Amino acid sequence: MNCAELAELWADYLGDELSAVDRATVESHLEACAACRAEFEADRGTLAALTRLQAAPAALAIRQAKRLVVRRPPTLLRMGWIATRTAALLAIGVLAGEALRSPAPKPLAEPQAPTLTRPAAQSALAMSDEPVVHPRWIKLARQCESNGGSSFACQLAVLAETARQ
Amino acid sequence: MDPVSQLDLATRTQVYQWAYRLLQNHHDALDATQEVMLRALARAAGGIEDATAWLRRVTINYCLDVLRRRRAQPAASAIEPVEHRAPAGDLAARELHAAITAALADLSEQQRTVLVAKVYDRQTFAEIAAGLGISTSSAKTHYVRALHALRPRLTAFQEVSS
């Protein structure tokens, strides 16, 4: 392998997408070529620095995400909700179907259905399990009601507003 | 649990992780997740071709905008309680965070999106390319160019390898 051939495999090597055979060939070249080895060390150093930007602990991330919930509607609205649920699930499926490449996080035990209570301050929220309501939900719900909106976004916004009342 | 919320939890968690990586602040990450989910729901009616790629791009751009505004008004920055800070809550970690996010902001959107998808989400180049509607070859080029653009910005933070 020469330097030009290595350049074609550079992204795959850094991205850990080479076969074992190709990787061995690349590493043999790196051992022999100081210039390519220096380039590799530089890019590896950049990647190492990037990976020091850490993710939140998985359990904490799930806990935070669970605070952004929509409550199931009261009984009177449930018939209408059931009728539109299929469409709603399909729409959510577009968003969530490919969301995670890594194994899905194990959800924490949820002792009761999440509820929207009073709206929490948007900024400086305490680290708690307090549900969160974005003020734009409320505004969107009112717009939907006035426009007779039936889109999925309007449905969720109306449900969120209903649960608050 | 409501079926809609159950299906959506994975998405919300992923968005939160992207936001937290960039903001390194739980309060801001939660706000960002809310904002992105609202935008996603508003957009869902019109259809999103690749939800993951769209969400990643919107989250990254929103968070970098938050950071840009925060740098412009340093006195108003949220101060994270010690127990809620990033694990390496010292000056060096904050400097690294600032350097990385500033460098990411200066990349092209495609370079930035490819880099985040590869480094943090560990997607393959084929998956990244499919999500962005580009060729695999282009995704690889963006990745390498992004790394080279970041190199001089992050040299000071590179740990000496053994």
Side-chain angles (χ1 to χ4, degrees):
Chain A
M1 172 176 281
N2 58 38
C3 299
E5 289 168 336
L6 173 56
E8 292 181 12
L9 298 179
W10 195 251
D12 290 308
Y13 182 61
L14 290 175
D16 199 24
E17 291 193 30
L18 284 184
S19 66
V21 171
D22 286 341
R23 190 165 57 246
T25 304
V26 167
E27 288 170 355
S28 290
H29 178 84
L30 290 177
E31 282 181 21
C33 178
C36 287
R37 188 165 62 247
E39 277 293 299
F40 170 68
E41 292 294 339
D43 280 342
R44 186 171 70 172
T46 301
L47 285 169
L50 286 171
T51 54
R52 284 163 58 193
L53 207 60
Q54 298 190 21
L60 178 55
I62 295 170
R63 178 180 153 197
Q64 289 285 75
K66 281 189 172 182
R67 296 171 66 183
L68 302 169
V69 297
V70 175
R71 187 188 182 197
R72 295 194 72 180
T75 305
L76 280 177
L77 293 178
R78 190 158 294 168
M79 290 180 66
W81 167 249
I82 289 173
T84 59
R85 188 172 62 183
T86 301
L89 289 174
L90 284 173
I92 286 291
V94 169
L95 296 176
E98 301 172 29
L100 287 184
R101 295 297 169 191
S102 56
K106 207 174 187 180
L108 298 173
E110 188 70 15
Q112 58 188 9
T115 59
L116 287 173
T117 56
R118 61 194 178 285
Q122 187 174 358
S123 61
L125 291 169
M127 286 292 295
S128 70
D129 293 320
E130 185 71 18
V132 172
V133 177
H134 198 296
R136 279 177 57 195
W137 279 111
I138 301 168
K139 181 179 177 182
L140 186 59
R142 289 179 186 149
Q143 288 174 344
C144 289
E145 283 182 338
S146 63
N147 296 334
S150 59
S151 70
F152 173 65
C154 280
Q155 290 279 351
L156 280 186
V158 169
L159 290 173
E161 176 67 4
T162 303
R164 283 188 61 251
Q165 293 167 358
Chain B
M1 181 177 284
D2 185 276
V4 172
S5 298
Q6 183 66 50
L7 279 175
D8 207 31
L9 179 59
T11 304
R12 283 181 272 130
T13 304
Q14 178 69 87
V15 172
Y16 183 86
Q17 285 289 20
W18 286 324
Y20 184 81
R21 284 246 197 220
L22 292 173
L23 298 173
Q24 295 289 294
N25 177 297
H26 289 293
H27 300 174
D28 289 344
L30 192 62
D31 284 350
T33 305
Q34 278 196 101
E35 183 63 36
V36 171
M37 293 311 300
L38 276 171
R39 295 183 186 188
L41 285 168
R43 181 74 183 266
I48 302 175
E49 194 161 323
D50 188 300
T52 301
W54 187 89
L55 285 167
R56 184 190 295 117
R57 179 172 58 82
V58 171
T59 304
I60 293 170
N61 290 343
Y62 178 80
C63 291
L64 290 179
D65 193 48
V66 167
L67 290 170
R68 195 176 302 119
R69 280 185 268 125
R70 186 190 292 178
R71 279 195 292 272
Q73 297 178 337
S77 300
I79 298 176
E80 188 90 299
V82 171
E83 62 273 19
H84 298 150
R85 281 182 194 155
D90 54 18
L91 180 60
R94 287 198 292 274
E95 287 176 346
L96 173 64
H97 170 240
I100 290 175
T101 52
L104 286 175
D106 289 339
L107 295 176
S108 73
E109 185 172 273
Q110 293 227 327
Q111 288 175 347
R112 178 165 62 234
T113 305
V114 168
L115 190 67
V116 169
K118 190 61 182 163
V119 174
Y120 298 126
D121 298 342
R122 300 192 180 279
Q123 286 195 310
T124 65
F125 288 117
E127 291 168 337
I128 296 168
L132 293 175
I134 60 177
S135 68
T136 305
S137 174
S138 293
K140 294 177 184 180
T141 300
H142 286 312
Y143 176 69
V144 173
R145 287 181 179 172
L147 284 177
H148 288 177
L150 261 57
R151 188 189 294 181
R153 309 281 290 266
L154 301 182
T155 301
F157 301 96
Q158 293 184 17
E159 292 171 338
V160 178
S161 56
S162 56

